[in-house]
Amino acid sequence: MDIQITSRHEKASASLRQMIIDEFGKLEKYSDRITSCHVIIDSQRGMELLEVVLNMAGHTINATSKAGNIGKAIDEALAKVQRQLSKINEKIKDHKNHGDPLEAR
């Protein structure tokens, strides 16, 4: 998975970039169809805004989080993305399990 990090209005430190890569790299356990992840960090009036755009085969997942510090914003955005990935995986599983009702007999 390709992870891109963009920082607006201030430069992201190397440790912050590494933390983001480590945290969002864990998303690969939810789906092997993830191709890229773009994380946008924006600082506005003492609030940290984090936007995540995750591309996977057939789907694009967007999540936005706003918090007082960057760690909390990352955790909230990560939770939103994980929830959406789980929902997509459940839909795929349910779709595969529902066949022709007459075949089940």
Side-chain angles (χ1 to χ4, degrees):
M1 171 173 54
D2 178 35
I3 300 176
Q4 294 178 325
I5 301 170
T6 304
S7 181
R8 296 180 185 157
H9 299 118
E10 63 182 48
K11 186 157 175 92
S13 66
S15 61
L16 176 61
R17 287 179 177 273
Q18 190 59 46
M19 182 175 76
I20 290 172
I21 290 169
D22 293 342
E23 291 295 320
F24 284 93
K26 294 176 186 176
L27 293 175
E28 288 182 322
K29 70 180 179 182
Y30 288 94
S31 177
D32 58 346
R33 302 181 329 155
I34 299 172
T35 56
S36 67
C37 179
H38 189 183
V39 180
I40 303 163
I41 305 164
D42 193 0
S43 298
Q44 299 176 350
R45 298 183 188 145
M47 295 295 285
E48 299 291 335
L49 178 70
L50 193 85
E51 296 177 50
V52 179
V53 179
L54 190 85
N55 294 314
M56 56 189 293
H59 298 282
T60 301
I61 295 174
N62 296 317
T64 304
S65 173
K66 194 174 200 178
N69 65 14
I70 192 67
K72 188 171 182 180
I74 290 171
D75 291 341
E76 289 175 3
L78 195 59
K80 289 180 181 182
V81 170
Q82 288 172 346
R83 195 168 36 248
Q84 291 181 43
L85 279 172
S86 296
K87 189 173 183 177
I88 289 170
N89 286 338
E90 284 300 315
K91 285 184 178 182
I92 291 170
K93 286 179 189 176
D94 287 345
H95 178 72
K96 287 182 179 178
N97 290 337
H98 287 86
D100 187 16
L102 296 177
E103 288 180 6
R105 293 181 188 171

XYZ file of all heavy atoms in Angstrom:
820
model
N 0.850 -1.172 0.000
C 0.000 0.000 0.000
C 0.891 1.229 0.000
O 1.855 1.317 0.760
C -0.911 -0.026 1.228
C -1.677 1.250 1.413
S -2.924 1.289 2.715
C -2.059 0.784 4.152
N 0.523 2.167 -0.830
C 1.251 3.427 -0.942
C 0.601 4.450 -0.015
O -0.595 4.717 -0.137
C 1.206 3.900 -2.397
C 1.899 5.222 -2.606
O 2.908 5.467 -1.928
O 1.427 6.015 -3.440
N 1.365 5.007 0.916
C 0.839 6.007 1.854
C 1.494 7.347 1.554
O 2.716 7.470 1.635
C 1.100 5.597 3.314
C 0.426 4.267 3.624
C 0.597 6.681 4.266
C 0.705 3.725 4.996
N 0.672 8.338 1.211
C 1.154 9.692 0.967
C 0.714 10.573 2.124
O -0.413 10.456 2.610
C 0.573 10.258 -0.319
C 1.010 9.562 -1.572
C 0.338 10.173 -2.781
O -0.806 10.603 -2.717
N 1.059 10.228 -3.884
N 1.585 11.477 2.533
C 1.279 12.386 3.633
C 1.484 13.813 3.144
O 2.555 14.157 2.632
C 2.160 12.106 4.857
C 1.967 10.667 5.325
C 1.866 13.096 5.975
C 2.945 10.206 6.362
N 0.448 14.638 3.285
C 0.518 16.042 2.919
C 0.239 16.864 4.165
O -0.710 16.579 4.894
C -0.526 16.378 1.830
O -0.316 15.525 0.716
C -0.409 17.824 1.398
N 1.051 17.868 4.402
C 0.874 18.719 5.564
C 0.636 20.155 5.093
O 1.421 20.689 4.309
C 2.111 18.650 6.451
O 1.951 19.440 7.591
N -0.426 20.755 5.577
C -0.752 22.134 5.219
C -0.458 23.059 6.398
O -0.700 22.705 7.543
C -2.234 22.260 4.861
C -2.631 21.483 3.653
C -4.103 21.682 3.382
N -4.545 20.845 2.289
C -5.798 20.467 2.110
N -6.722 20.842 2.957
N -6.108 19.716 1.092
N 0.025 24.216 6.116
C 0.263 25.299 7.064
C 1.411 25.072 8.042
O 1.743 25.947 8.814
C -1.001 25.655 7.850
C -2.113 26.119 6.968
N -3.294 25.437 6.892
C -2.230 27.150 6.100
C -4.089 26.036 6.031
N -3.452 27.075 5.531
N 1.978 23.906 8.081
C 3.203 23.671 8.847
C 3.793 22.339 8.420
O 3.111 21.508 7.848
C 2.963 23.690 10.358
C 2.059 22.624 10.897
C 1.865 22.768 12.388
O 1.583 23.866 12.865
O 2.012 21.736 13.068
N 5.054 22.158 8.679
C 5.745 20.946 8.238
C 5.573 19.841 9.274
O 5.736 20.059 10.469
C 7.224 21.259 8.029
C 8.007 20.128 7.436
C 9.232 20.648 6.750
C 10.081 19.506 6.271
N 9.784 19.110 4.921
N 5.251 18.644 8.791
C 5.106 17.483 9.676
C 6.489 16.919 9.996
O 7.331 16.773 9.110
C 4.249 16.421 9.015
N 6.712 16.601 11.258
C 8.007 16.060 11.669
C 8.178 14.626 11.153
O 7.214 13.956 10.783
C 8.123 16.074 13.192
O 7.193 15.174 13.747
N 9.401 14.170 11.159
C 9.703 12.818 10.697
C 9.049 11.771 11.601
O 8.567 10.741 11.116
C 11.212 12.608 10.646
N 9.010 12.031 12.903
C 8.393 11.072 13.825
C 6.876 10.997 13.614
O 6.288 9.914 13.692
C 8.701 11.438 15.271
O 8.181 12.715 15.580
N 6.246 12.140 13.306
C 4.816 12.152 13.017
C 4.528 11.385 11.732
O 3.600 10.574 11.666
C 4.297 13.584 12.898
C 2.834 13.739 12.493
C 1.915 13.094 13.527
C 2.492 15.203 12.314
N 5.350 11.607 10.720
C 5.181 10.884 9.454
C 5.330 9.373 9.670
O 4.551 8.586 9.143
C 6.192 11.355 8.426
C 5.896 12.731 7.879
C 6.962 13.144 6.859
N 6.637 14.419 6.288
C 5.843 14.589 5.222
N 5.336 13.543 4.627
N 5.580 15.783 4.758
N 6.313 8.966 10.455
C 6.529 7.541 10.714
C 5.369 6.944 11.496
O 4.936 5.820 11.233
C 7.849 7.326 11.455
C 8.252 5.878 11.548
C 8.404 5.220 10.187
O 9.016 5.777 9.279
N 7.843 4.039 10.037
N 4.830 7.702 12.453
C 3.693 7.231 13.235
C 2.477 7.014 12.329
O 1.770 5.999 12.447
C 3.341 8.223 14.341
C 2.202 7.754 15.220
S 1.871 8.834 16.619
C 1.027 10.181 15.807
N 2.236 7.935 11.405
C 1.113 7.813 10.474
C 1.304 6.592 9.574
O 0.373 5.818 9.352
C 0.951 9.107 9.655
C 0.442 10.225 10.562
C 0.011 8.894 8.480
C 0.429 11.586 9.921
N 2.512 6.404 9.069
C 2.787 5.254 8.206
C 2.569 3.949 8.973
O 1.974 2.998 8.449
C 4.214 5.335 7.630
C 4.293 6.470 6.599
C 4.638 4.017 7.011
C 5.694 6.811 6.155
N 3.015 3.893 10.220
C 2.837 2.687 11.030
C 1.361 2.408 11.312
O 0.890 1.279 11.178
C 3.592 2.803 12.357
C 5.098 2.815 12.170
O 5.566 2.398 11.087
O 5.801 3.250 13.103
N 0.613 3.448 11.715
C -0.787 3.266 12.082
C -1.646 2.895 10.877
O -2.460 1.977 10.942
C -1.340 4.539 12.745
C -0.772 4.823 14.111
C -1.151 3.778 15.136
O -2.304 3.312 15.129
O -0.290 3.421 15.952
N -1.481 3.618 9.774
C -2.315 3.352 8.606
C -1.831 2.131 7.831
O -2.588 1.558 7.050
C -2.410 4.592 7.717
C -3.330 5.632 8.287
C -2.844 6.656 9.085
C -4.692 5.561 8.061
C -3.694 7.599 9.631
C -5.553 6.495 8.611
C -5.056 7.522 9.399
N -0.608 1.701 8.052
C -0.117 0.464 7.452
C -0.830 -0.754 8.018
O -0.933 -1.791 7.356
N -1.354 -0.634 9.228
C -2.079 -1.730 9.866
C -3.421 -2.003 9.197
O -4.033 -3.039 9.434
C -2.312 -1.425 11.349
C -1.038 -1.363 12.164
C -1.335 -0.959 13.590
C -0.066 -0.753 14.387
N -0.353 -0.261 15.745
N -3.879 -1.085 8.363
C -5.170 -1.265 7.690
C -5.140 -2.392 6.670
O -6.193 -2.878 6.259
C -5.598 0.039 7.000
C -5.938 1.203 7.919
C -6.225 2.443 7.101
C -7.123 0.861 8.801
N -3.954 -2.818 6.274
C -3.844 -3.891 5.292
C -4.409 -5.209 5.814
O -4.765 -6.077 5.028
C -2.401 -4.066 4.841
C -1.925 -2.932 3.962
C -0.508 -3.114 3.476
O 0.327 -3.612 4.261
O -0.254 -2.772 2.325
N -4.517 -5.353 7.138
C -5.091 -6.584 7.677
C -6.596 -6.652 7.439
O -7.183 -7.723 7.478
C -4.775 -6.739 9.159
C -5.494 -5.773 10.073
C -5.123 -6.009 11.515
C -5.831 -5.000 12.416
N -5.443 -5.191 13.799
N -7.239 -5.523 7.169
C -8.673 -5.509 6.898
C -8.991 -5.875 5.458
O -10.044 -6.425 5.175
C -9.277 -4.130 7.207
C -9.345 -3.854 8.678
C -8.336 -3.159 9.318
C -10.415 -4.299 9.441
C -8.386 -2.913 10.668
C -10.478 -4.055 10.799
C -9.456 -3.362 11.404
O -9.509 -3.133 12.751
N -8.102 -5.515 4.526
C -8.348 -5.815 3.124
C -7.029 -5.817 2.368
O -6.194 -4.934 2.561
C -9.288 -4.778 2.511
O -9.470 -5.022 1.139
N -6.876 -6.799 1.498
C -5.673 -6.840 0.676
C -5.880 -6.087 -0.640
O -4.979 -6.030 -1.459
C -5.263 -8.291 0.409
C -6.353 -9.079 -0.275
O -7.503 -8.610 -0.311
O -6.050 -10.184 -0.758
N -7.067 -5.502 -0.819
C -7.370 -4.768 -2.042
C -7.057 -3.271 -1.926
O -7.319 -2.518 -2.854
C -8.847 -4.954 -2.406
C -9.193 -6.416 -2.590
C -10.622 -6.688 -2.969
N -11.592 -5.751 -2.466
C -12.760 -5.531 -3.053
N -13.082 -6.170 -4.138
N -13.607 -4.679 -2.526
N -6.497 -2.821 -0.809
C -6.162 -1.406 -0.630
C -4.957 -1.080 -1.494
O -3.927 -1.742 -1.428
C -5.861 -1.089 0.844
C -7.078 -1.377 1.710
C -5.430 0.359 0.998
C -6.814 -1.271 3.192
N -5.085 -0.031 -2.322
C -3.988 0.342 -3.210
C -3.222 1.559 -2.699
O -2.000 1.589 -2.774
C -4.507 0.635 -4.627
O -5.513 1.645 -4.557
C -5.065 -0.618 -5.261
N -3.938 2.567 -2.177
C -3.238 3.761 -1.718
C -4.013 4.442 -0.598
O -5.217 4.252 -0.440
C -3.025 4.744 -2.864
O -4.258 5.253 -3.305
N -3.288 5.251 0.146
C -3.865 6.007 1.252
C -3.224 7.391 1.240
O -1.996 7.508 1.209
C -3.582 5.293 2.571
S -4.217 6.138 4.014
N -4.050 8.431 1.234
C -3.543 9.800 1.242
C -4.025 10.454 2.536
O -5.226 10.553 2.788
C -4.064 10.568 0.030
C -3.423 11.902 -0.132
N -3.786 12.775 -1.107
C -2.430 12.515 0.532
C -3.057 13.868 -1.027
N -2.227 13.723 -0.026
N -3.094 10.886 3.370
C -3.393 11.516 4.653
C -3.022 12.983 4.553
O -1.895 13.334 4.195
C -2.596 10.836 5.796
C -2.913 11.502 7.120
C -2.897 9.358 5.854
N -3.984 13.863 4.855
C -3.768 15.313 4.789
C -3.893 15.871 6.202
O -4.927 15.705 6.854
C -4.793 15.978 3.859
C -4.700 15.350 2.461
C -4.566 17.479 3.802
C -5.890 15.615 1.595
N -2.843 16.526 6.658
C -2.803 17.121 7.993
C -2.931 18.633 7.832
O -2.193 19.242 7.059
C -1.484 16.804 8.709
C -1.244 15.301 8.746
C -1.470 17.405 10.108
C 0.180 14.938 9.091
N -3.855 19.240 8.576
C -4.068 20.681 8.484
C -4.218 21.239 9.895
O -4.975 20.707 10.703
C -5.320 20.967 7.659
C -5.438 22.419 7.250
O -4.551 23.218 7.604
O -6.420 22.753 6.573
N -3.495 22.291 10.196
C -3.597 22.953 11.492
C -4.356 24.263 11.322
O -3.956 25.116 10.534
C -2.215 23.253 12.059
O -1.511 22.073 12.275
N -5.459 24.395 12.065
C -6.281 25.596 11.969
C -6.669 26.067 13.358
O -7.340 25.352 14.084
C -7.560 25.326 11.179
C -7.356 24.888 9.766
C -8.678 24.561 9.098
O -9.709 24.497 9.741
N -8.627 24.352 7.806
N -6.237 27.230 13.744
C -6.642 27.875 14.996
C -6.561 26.950 16.211
O -7.501 26.817 16.980
C -8.061 28.409 14.855
C -8.202 29.440 13.791
C -9.608 29.968 13.747
N -9.765 30.822 12.588
C -10.868 30.911 11.896
N -11.920 30.210 12.237
N -10.939 31.717 10.862
N -5.471 26.261 16.349
C -5.273 25.402 17.502
C -5.932 24.037 17.389
O -5.835 23.231 18.300
N -6.588 23.764 16.284
C -7.214 22.461 16.061
C -6.465 21.742 14.955
O -5.981 22.364 14.015
C -8.689 22.622 15.648
C -9.582 23.223 16.702
S -9.758 22.188 18.161
C -10.838 20.933 17.545
N -6.381 20.447 15.096
C -5.738 19.621 14.077
C -6.825 18.926 13.264
O -7.710 18.288 13.820
C -4.833 18.572 14.725
C -3.713 19.138 15.552
C -2.651 19.848 14.738
O -2.507 19.534 13.551
O -1.974 20.705 15.305
N -6.760 19.096 11.961
C -7.713 18.471 11.055
C -6.975 17.403 10.258
O -5.919 17.679 9.691
C -8.315 19.508 10.113
C -9.296 19.008 9.071
C -10.589 18.586 9.744
C -9.580 20.088 8.045
N -7.517 16.195 10.229
C -6.891 15.099 9.516
C -7.906 14.526 8.534
O -9.006 14.163 8.921
C -6.452 14.006 10.500
C -5.525 12.959 9.923
C -4.092 13.471 10.002
C -5.652 11.671 10.663
N -7.526 14.493 7.268
C -8.369 13.916 6.230
C -7.670 12.677 5.690
O -6.463 12.690 5.471
C -8.578 14.891 5.076
C -9.322 16.144 5.436
C -9.410 17.082 4.251
O -9.799 16.639 3.152
O -9.068 18.250 4.427
N -8.431 11.615 5.456
C -7.890 10.376 4.924
C -8.707 9.981 3.701
O -9.938 9.956 3.757
C -7.949 9.237 5.969
C -7.403 7.948 5.392
C -7.201 9.622 7.222
N -8.015 9.700 2.603
C -8.649 9.181 1.399
C -7.965 7.848 1.100
O -6.777 7.808 0.813
C -8.500 10.146 0.204
C -9.152 9.557 -1.026
C -9.078 11.508 0.536
N -8.739 6.778 1.205
C -8.221 5.430 1.023
C -8.817 4.863 -0.260
O -10.033 4.837 -0.416
C -8.619 4.568 2.217
C -7.972 3.216 2.326
C -6.630 3.363 3.028
C -8.844 2.278 3.103
N -7.969 4.441 -1.174
C -8.424 3.866 -2.432
C -8.214 2.366 -2.407
O -7.154 1.889 -2.031
C -7.649 4.465 -3.615
C -7.941 5.928 -3.793
O -9.087 6.340 -3.756
N -6.906 6.718 -3.959
N -9.253 1.655 -2.826
C -9.163 0.209 -2.951
C -9.962 -0.203 -4.175
O -10.687 0.607 -4.735
C -9.658 -0.491 -1.684
C -11.051 -0.156 -1.254
S -11.490 -0.810 0.356
C -11.502 -2.541 0.079
N -9.792 -1.414 -4.586
C -10.447 -1.892 -5.799
C -11.961 -1.747 -5.665
O -12.584 -2.398 -4.840
C -10.075 -3.341 -6.050
N -12.538 -0.846 -6.438
C -13.978 -0.666 -6.449
C -14.534 0.283 -5.405
O -15.731 0.565 -5.414
N -13.723 0.790 -4.511
C -14.218 1.659 -3.436
C -13.222 2.770 -3.132
O -12.019 2.595 -3.281
C -14.440 0.861 -2.147
C -15.448 -0.215 -2.255
N -16.795 0.019 -2.229
C -15.308 -1.554 -2.411
C -17.437 -1.123 -2.357
N -16.544 -2.099 -2.469
N -13.755 3.890 -2.670
C -12.949 4.973 -2.122
C -13.538 5.325 -0.763
O -14.735 5.555 -0.643
C -12.977 6.210 -3.034
O -12.471 5.850 -4.315
C -12.139 7.334 -2.462
N -12.695 5.345 0.251
C -13.137 5.631 1.611
C -12.577 6.985 2.031
O -11.386 7.241 1.886
C -12.651 4.535 2.577
C -13.304 3.206 2.217
C -12.948 4.911 4.018
C -12.782 2.045 3.014
N -13.452 7.836 2.557
C -13.053 9.150 3.049
C -13.372 9.236 4.533
O -14.437 8.791 4.972
C -13.811 10.260 2.320
C -13.486 10.312 0.857
O -12.331 10.193 0.479
N -14.498 10.470 0.025
N -12.477 9.833 5.295
C -12.708 10.058 6.717
C -12.053 11.375 7.106
O -10.966 11.699 6.639
C -12.126 8.922 7.546
N -12.746 12.136 7.941
C -12.232 13.415 8.424
C -12.339 13.438 9.938
O -13.334 12.983 10.500
C -13.051 14.580 7.834
O -13.035 14.479 6.414
C -12.463 15.918 8.229
N -11.317 13.978 10.567
C -11.297 14.049 12.018
C -10.728 15.395 12.447
O -9.771 15.888 11.854
C -10.454 12.911 12.571
O -10.288 13.051 13.945
N -11.320 15.968 13.483
C -10.852 17.250 14.015
C -10.706 17.107 15.523
O -11.640 16.661 16.196
C -11.868 18.339 13.679
C -11.371 19.734 13.857
C -12.420 20.710 13.347
C -11.789 22.047 13.062
N -12.765 22.994 12.528
N -9.517 17.441 16.041
C -9.269 17.292 17.475
C -8.253 18.336 17.934
O -7.632 19.022 17.116
C -8.762 15.895 17.783
N -8.075 18.416 19.233
C -7.150 19.373 19.818
C -5.697 19.017 19.594
O -4.843 19.893 19.486
N -5.384 17.729 19.507
C -4.009 17.322 19.224
C -4.010 16.299 18.090
O -5.021 15.659 17.803
C -3.290 16.798 20.466
C -3.890 15.527 21.013
O -4.687 14.865 20.368
N -3.494 15.186 22.226
N -2.882 16.132 17.478
C -2.787 15.311 16.272
C -2.963 13.826 16.588
O -3.522 13.075 15.780
C -1.466 15.586 15.521
C -1.488 14.957 14.122
C -0.278 15.119 16.313
C -2.473 15.565 13.189
N -2.532 13.379 17.749
C -2.672 11.973 18.118
C -4.132 11.543 18.194
O -4.516 10.484 17.696
N -4.945 12.377 18.815
C -6.371 12.076 18.922
C -7.039 12.124 17.550
O -7.897 11.294 17.245
C -7.037 13.058 19.873
C -8.458 12.712 20.200
C -9.011 13.581 21.297
C -10.436 13.138 21.602
N -11.027 13.946 22.648
N -6.640 13.063 16.712
C -7.197 13.161 15.359
C -6.851 11.915 14.541
O -7.698 11.396 13.799
C -6.683 14.415 14.657
N -5.637 11.413 14.686
C -5.229 10.192 13.974
C -6.056 9.005 14.449
O -6.554 8.218 13.634
C -3.722 9.925 14.168
C -2.897 10.969 13.418
C -3.344 8.521 13.711
C -1.422 10.926 13.720
N -6.224 8.872 15.767
C -6.996 7.754 16.308
C -8.447 7.786 15.839
O -9.011 6.753 15.474
C -6.951 7.758 17.838
C -5.581 7.408 18.380
O -4.775 6.820 17.615
O -5.311 7.726 19.557
N -9.063 8.973 15.829
C -10.451 9.089 15.393
C -10.599 8.760 13.910
O -11.521 8.038 13.518
C -10.982 10.495 15.671
C -11.207 10.784 17.134
C -11.630 12.221 17.394
O -11.801 12.994 16.418
O -11.794 12.577 18.572
N -9.700 9.280 13.084
C -9.766 9.011 11.647
C -9.526 7.538 11.364
O -10.196 6.931 10.517
C -8.752 9.872 10.894
N -8.595 6.945 12.072
C -8.294 5.521 11.904
C -9.509 4.666 12.276
O -9.838 3.701 11.581
C -7.091 5.144 12.764
C -6.398 3.838 12.485
C -5.877 3.796 11.053
C -5.248 3.647 13.445
N -10.200 5.028 13.346
C -11.400 4.295 13.764
C -12.498 4.403 12.701
O -13.180 3.419 12.403
C -11.903 4.818 15.105
N -12.647 5.581 12.114
C -13.658 5.763 11.068
C -13.341 4.918 9.841
O -14.233 4.291 9.265
C -13.753 7.236 10.670
C -14.389 8.112 11.733
C -14.443 9.559 11.274
C -15.052 10.448 12.343
N -15.149 11.848 11.886
N -12.093 4.895 9.445
C -11.692 4.102 8.280
C -11.874 2.611 8.564
O -12.369 1.862 7.722
C -10.239 4.421 7.873
C -9.733 3.449 6.831
C -10.136 5.848 7.348
N -11.495 2.163 9.760
C -11.645 0.756 10.118
C -13.120 0.342 10.101
O -13.464 -0.745 9.628
C -11.045 0.486 11.504
C -9.551 0.523 11.517
C -8.976 0.447 12.917
O -9.685 0.617 13.913
N -7.676 0.203 13.009
N -13.983 1.219 10.594
C -15.414 0.936 10.607
C -15.949 0.792 9.179
O -16.711 -0.125 8.875
C -16.144 2.043 11.361
C -17.542 1.726 11.755
C -18.151 2.712 12.751
N -17.761 4.093 12.590
C -17.004 4.792 13.458
N -16.538 4.208 14.545
N -16.716 6.054 13.246
N -15.513 1.681 8.281
C -15.964 1.615 6.891
C -15.418 0.372 6.183
O -16.130 -0.263 5.405
C -15.551 2.882 6.142
C -16.297 4.112 6.612
C -15.884 5.349 5.852
O -15.730 5.315 4.634
N -15.686 6.455 6.570
N -14.165 0.029 6.450
C -13.589 -1.180 5.855
C -14.320 -2.435 6.338
O -14.575 -3.354 5.545
C -12.099 -1.291 6.195
C -11.144 -0.469 5.359
C -9.739 -0.527 5.950
C -11.133 -0.942 3.927
N -14.649 -2.493 7.609
C -15.377 -3.636 8.146
C -16.744 -3.760 7.487
O -17.190 -4.864 7.163
C -15.550 -3.510 9.654
O -14.308 -3.535 10.300
N -17.404 -2.626 7.275
C -18.717 -2.633 6.642
C -18.624 -3.138 5.201
O -19.453 -3.937 4.760
C -19.310 -1.226 6.674
C -20.738 -1.150 6.237
C -21.291 0.238 6.456
C -22.758 0.293 6.090
N -23.338 1.609 6.353
N -17.618 -2.703 4.473
C -17.420 -3.159 3.098
C -17.145 -4.660 3.074
O -17.691 -5.397 2.248
C -16.280 -2.375 2.418
C -16.728 -0.945 2.138
C -15.835 -3.046 1.124
C -15.613 -0.022 1.683
N -16.308 -5.141 3.994
C -15.998 -6.572 4.063
C -17.245 -7.398 4.369
O -17.430 -8.480 3.807
C -14.911 -6.846 5.090
C -13.549 -6.422 4.608
O -13.312 -6.294 3.418
N -12.645 -6.177 5.543
N -18.107 -6.905 5.264
C -19.340 -7.615 5.578
C -20.258 -7.677 4.365
O -20.887 -8.705 4.102
C -20.069 -6.948 6.750
C -19.449 -7.229 8.089
C -19.422 -8.705 8.421
O -20.436 -9.401 8.212
O -18.362 -9.173 8.889
N -20.345 -6.585 3.608
C -21.181 -6.587 2.409
C -20.665 -7.592 1.390
O -21.441 -8.279 0.729
C -21.224 -5.193 1.779
C -22.086 -4.226 2.534
C -22.158 -2.891 1.812
C -23.065 -1.929 2.539
N -23.188 -0.644 1.841
N -19.352 -7.683 1.252
C -18.764 -8.634 0.308
C -19.059 -10.062 0.760
O -19.456 -10.907 -0.041
C -17.244 -8.396 0.164
C -16.993 -7.075 -0.561
C -16.578 -9.535 -0.573
C -15.547 -6.630 -0.542
N -18.914 -10.341 2.045
C -19.187 -11.682 2.567
C -20.659 -12.051 2.400
O -20.998 -13.157 2.000
C -18.809 -11.781 4.046
C -17.331 -11.842 4.301
C -17.071 -11.918 5.784
C -15.605 -11.767 6.081
N -15.337 -11.744 7.524
N -21.561 -11.121 2.742
C -22.998 -11.382 2.621
C -23.389 -11.616 1.169
O -24.218 -12.470 0.874
C -23.811 -10.227 3.197
C -23.764 -10.185 4.713
O -23.346 -11.192 5.323
O -24.130 -9.151 5.283
N -22.793 -10.868 0.269
C -23.117 -11.012 -1.146
C -22.696 -12.384 -1.667
O -23.409 -13.019 -2.432
C -22.435 -9.913 -1.963
C -22.684 -10.020 -3.430
N -23.898 -9.727 -3.988
C -21.886 -10.406 -4.447
C -23.836 -9.934 -5.291
N -22.618 -10.337 -5.598
N -21.542 -12.854 -1.223
C -21.052 -14.155 -1.678
C -21.878 -15.295 -1.096
O -22.036 -16.333 -1.717
C -19.580 -14.331 -1.305
C -18.653 -13.487 -2.142
C -17.212 -13.739 -1.767
C -16.283 -12.904 -2.628
N -14.890 -13.095 -2.260
N -22.416 -15.141 0.099
C -23.166 -16.203 0.753
C -24.607 -16.305 0.252
O -25.245 -17.317 0.438
C -23.169 -16.010 2.269
C -21.797 -16.258 2.859
O -20.984 -16.952 2.278
N -21.533 -15.676 4.009
N -25.137 -15.240 -0.330
C -26.507 -15.258 -0.819
C -26.523 -15.724 -2.263
O -26.185 -14.992 -3.166
C -27.147 -13.867 -0.708
C -27.471 -13.487 0.684
N -26.566 -12.893 1.517
C -28.599 -13.642 1.413
C -27.121 -12.679 2.692
N -28.357 -13.131 2.657
N -26.884 -16.941 -2.444
C -27.003 -17.475 -3.781
C -28.467 -17.663 -4.122
O -29.367 -17.043 -3.538
N -28.736 -18.534 -5.034
C -30.087 -18.872 -5.419
C -30.719 -19.686 -4.291
O -30.161 -20.704 -3.872
C -30.060 -19.659 -6.722
C -31.451 -19.900 -7.272
O -32.390 -19.205 -6.816
O -31.591 -20.779 -8.145
N -31.877 -19.260 -3.756
C -32.476 -20.015 -2.646
C -32.854 -21.431 -3.018
O -32.933 -22.311 -2.170
C -33.699 -19.190 -2.265
C -33.871 -18.148 -3.290
C -32.624 -18.092 -4.101
N -33.082 -21.681 -4.283
C -33.452 -23.039 -4.698
C -32.238 -23.966 -4.680
O -32.392 -25.180 -4.542
C -34.060 -23.006 -6.100
C -35.375 -22.234 -6.215
C -35.830 -22.207 -7.652
C -36.444 -22.824 -5.310
N -31.051 -23.426 -4.823
C -29.841 -24.243 -4.793
C -29.551 -24.762 -3.384
O -28.886 -25.771 -3.228
C -28.633 -23.433 -5.292
C -28.653 -23.174 -6.765
C -27.431 -22.377 -7.209
O -26.539 -22.139 -6.374
O -27.379 -21.992 -8.376
N -30.010 -24.088 -2.370
C -29.727 -24.485 -1.005
C -30.492 -25.738 -0.602
O -30.155 -26.397 0.352
C -30.068 -23.338 -0.051
N -31.546 -26.085 -1.339
C -32.369 -27.238 -0.969
C -31.768 -28.528 -1.357
O -31.160 -28.934 -2.129
C -33.746 -27.115 -1.607
C -34.497 -25.964 -1.015
C -35.844 -25.891 -1.647
N -36.469 -24.648 -1.197
C -37.572 -24.186 -1.681
N -38.207 -24.820 -2.621
N -38.079 -23.087 -1.233
